[in-house]
Amino acid sequence: MKYVFLIIPLYVALGIKRKEKDIAFFVLCGLAFLIGLFLLLFDGVYLAETVLGGQR
Amino acid sequence: MKKITVRQMLLLVISTVFSPAVRLFSSFYSASTNQSAWIAPLIAGVITLAFVFVLNGIMKSGRSFFSQAEFSFGKRGAKAVGAVYLIWGTLLTALQMRYYSQRITTTIYTDIGLDPFVIVMAVLCIFALNKGIETFARMNEMISALVLAVTVGIMLLLVREAKTDRLLPLDDGESVLRATASTAANFGYITFTLFFADKLTQKEKFLRKSIVTVSVISLLSLWLFFSVVATLGPAVIKKLEYPFFGVVKQITVGEFLQHIEALIVTLWIMSDFVIIAFIGSAMTELAGFLFNTEKVKQLHLPYYVICTVLVPFLGRNDGDLKLLSEKIFVPANLILLFFVPCVMLFFGKIKESFLRKKSLVKTEK
């Protein structure tokens, strides 16, 4: 699952060829890639731990 | 433009309720062994029924959720509110995907990791939504009928084992309050219907059909909780991870009807599919509003990629997820699905009356 974001560049490349896309598409793809990369780099970080911390 | 009826949209809400309702048992009884919480769907149902009038107020104004937000909070305010909804909705979709995969790997495929189930669900949602929410809503007409019929059938079989003395007394206010908050957070998904207001037909029937929908989901949840608590009792429920699954495993009718838990797993998957696709679709509509585009079809893939990568990031285990739901998502659901639409309608009404007075003064001059 952590590597799913790697399909984004491929999809963008193929998507541009097929149809005209607008800015929303590129922004969301960029976000998907960055979030995926961030979570891959910070592997082992969990939302429940980060937000709830001591309550767990 | 293709349109969907209010009835089709509300059937989506009915399908989404089954999966979280079944999951809620364990969180209801994790902290206490009091039986009072089974009454919660009734209270949550009454609250949601009152809330339906707020939704109808927005619907009657002829505006969609987004244009009402723009009218009430201004353009920038609406975008800011929309961004908060998008972040929360994305995490909510990821949470539902995690719950779905976790449940499958806990109950049937115990040797397999979460990955294949999450990826298959994401691909399925992208495929279904690319055909349009109209096609998805029509497909759901069959799913909701199946979910309702099988759930009612199973609960009728469960009634044989029920012992009503396990349901009383109703004396733990805190349990009831916690369970009501969780159930109301679940019923609040009805707000998402306003995200598709532009595509709806027969809007004049919204109030009547919404009241019927909320009544159906409340009674269904009440019956579900009633039958499981009366069959097992709170002390046993507390020990089981999926109490409803445990109860259904016990159902046998002679020799011809046994092991119907497989049917329940199928229903879970279908209900999970509807909830993940429904919230995902609402969020891509919202993303379309934030980026000023009507071509939301192109956004499905990047959106579900984000949700998929977020799935493992949510928590280490089932305990983390339950805590996350209880401490973060239930309050967030209550604020964003109930409170914000009320505020939005209130500000909208004030602005409308102000504008009316202003135009009256102008015409008098």
Side-chain angles (χ1 to χ4, degrees):
Chain A
M1 263 184 296
K2 286 171 190 163
Y3 300 95
V4 167
F5 74 96
L6 292 173
I7 66 161
I8 288 286
L10 189 72
Y11 182 73
V12 170
L14 289 173
I16 293 168
K17 267 189 183 177
R18 269 192 290 138
K19 280 176 206 161
E20 197 183 314
K21 306 282 184 190
D22 57 25
I23 190 78
F25 171 75
F26 293 108
V27 172
L28 218 60
C29 282
L31 267 176
F33 190 77
L34 288 177
I35 291 171
L37 196 66
F38 176 82
L39 293 178
L40 189 71
L41 290 175
F42 292 91
D43 194 17
V45 175
Y46 296 101
L47 185 68
E49 275 179 12
T50 314
V51 179
L52 299 171
Q55 292 183 58
R56 287 171 70 248
Chain B
M1 188 200 250
K2 284 190 214 164
K3 295 273 184 181
I4 38 176
T5 62
V6 166
R7 188 183 71 90
Q8 286 172 325
M9 184 50 75
L10 291 170
L11 279 175
L12 282 168
V13 178
I14 291 181
S15 297
T16 59
V17 167
F18 177 76
S19 168
V22 169
R23 193 182 63 228
L24 283 173
F25 285 114
S26 37
S27 57
F28 282 2
Y29 295 102
S30 58
S32 80
T33 49
N34 193 284
Q35 65 287 333
S36 309
W38 68 269
I39 199 80
L42 207 60
I43 305 169
V46 172
I47 295 168
T48 316
L49 271 181
F51 177 67
V52 159
F53 288 90
V54 173
L55 294 182
N56 189 53
I58 298 174
M59 193 68 97
K60 262 194 343 199
S61 69
R63 300 184 194 101
S64 71
F65 189 84
F66 314 125
S67 43
Q68 177 69 40
E70 260 186 0
F71 181 72
S72 303
F73 304 135
K75 212 161 192 172
R76 284 185 184 167
K79 297 267 179 191
V81 171
V84 173
Y85 268 89
L86 188 61
I87 294 166
W88 156 79
T90 308
L91 288 170
L92 189 66
T93 312
L95 184 77
Q96 297 294 349
M97 287 167 100
R98 176 68 181 265
Y99 270 131
Y100 138 79
S101 49
Q102 192 105 21
R103 201 181 304 154
I104 291 187
T105 51
T106 314
T107 51
I108 330 172
Y109 298 106
T110 44
D111 297 332
I112 303 178
L114 303 175
D115 300 29
F117 301 106
V118 175
I119 291 167
V120 166
M121 180 57 85
V123 171
L124 203 64
C125 287
I126 294 166
F127 182 75
L129 293 178
N130 276 350
K131 305 284 175 195
I133 184 75
E134 304 81 9
T135 315
F136 176 64
R138 279 200 288 273
M139 181 176 71
N140 176 66
E141 283 187 81
M142 286 184 287
I143 295 178
S144 59
L146 199 66
V147 168
L148 277 176
V150 176
T151 314
V152 169
I154 285 171
M155 285 187 299
L156 279 175
L157 292 172
L158 280 177
V159 167
R160 296 178 310 166
E161 316 279 331
K163 290 191 177 73
T164 45
D165 57 314
R166 286 177 179 152
L167 299 166
L168 296 169
L170 301 174
D171 57 356
D172 187 357
E174 199 196 327
S175 291
V176 176
L177 203 68
R178 278 179 55 221
T180 303
S182 303
T183 315
N186 189 11
F187 290 175
Y189 292 150
I190 196 166
T191 303
F192 287 128
T193 53
L194 286 192
F195 284 47
F196 304 96
D198 294 339
K199 293 175 178 165
L200 291 181
T201 58
Q202 305 170 351
K203 286 181 193 172
E204 67 284 355
K205 292 180 182 170
F206 181 78
L207 182 64
R208 191 166 55 85
K209 300 232 177 217
S210 298
I211 290 173
V212 174
T213 304
V214 174
S215 307
V216 167
I217 58 176
S218 308
L219 291 176
L220 195 76
S221 304
L222 183 74
W223 194 4
L224 196 82
F225 295 168
F226 174 90
S227 53
V228 175
V229 178
T231 308
L232 293 179
V236 180
I237 290 176
K238 194 184 171 185
K239 288 176 192 154
L240 297 172
E241 196 159 10
Y242 295 104
F244 189 65
F245 192 69
V247 171
V248 171
K249 266 184 171 176
Q250 296 176 3
I251 295 178
T252 51
V253 180
E255 282 187 6
F256 81 99
L257 192 64
Q258 290 176 346
H259 298 292
I260 58 170
E261 62 271 17
L263 206 60
I264 285 298
V265 175
T266 314
L267 283 190
W268 270 344
I269 296 170
M270 284 201 284
S271 181
D272 282 327
F273 165 60
V274 174
I275 199 168
I276 293 164
F278 182 51
I279 301 174
S281 177
M283 288 306 122
T284 46
E285 288 286 331
L286 178 59
F289 160 74
L290 289 176
F291 296 114
N292 297 322
T293 179
E294 286 186 359
K295 293 187 279 179
V296 292
K297 189 180 159 184
Q298 57 178 342
L299 307 179
H300 291 142
L301 186 126
Y303 179 78
Y304 278 101
V305 167
I306 294 176
C307 294
T308 307
V309 295
L310 283 173
V311 168
F313 162 70
L314 292 172
R316 273 181 208 277
N317 48 39
D318 222 21
D320 272 4
L321 293 186
K322 275 177 194 161
L323 210 63
L324 205 60
S325 279
E326 205 180 306
K327 304 276 181 198
I328 307 288
F329 284 95
V330 168
N333 278 17
L334 293 177
I335 292 169
L336 294 174
L337 295 175
F338 286 93
F339 183 67
V340 173
C342 291
V343 173
M344 218 158 77
L345 185 69
F346 179 69
F347 280 178
K349 290 283 177 199
I350 291 175
K351 197 172 174 182
E352 265 174 14
S353 64
F354 178 73
L355 289 174
R356 212 175 297 134
K357 272 183 195 166
K358 209 175 169 184
S359 66
L360 273 176
V361 171
K362 267 188 185 173
T363 46
E364 275 173 14
K365 276 183 184 175

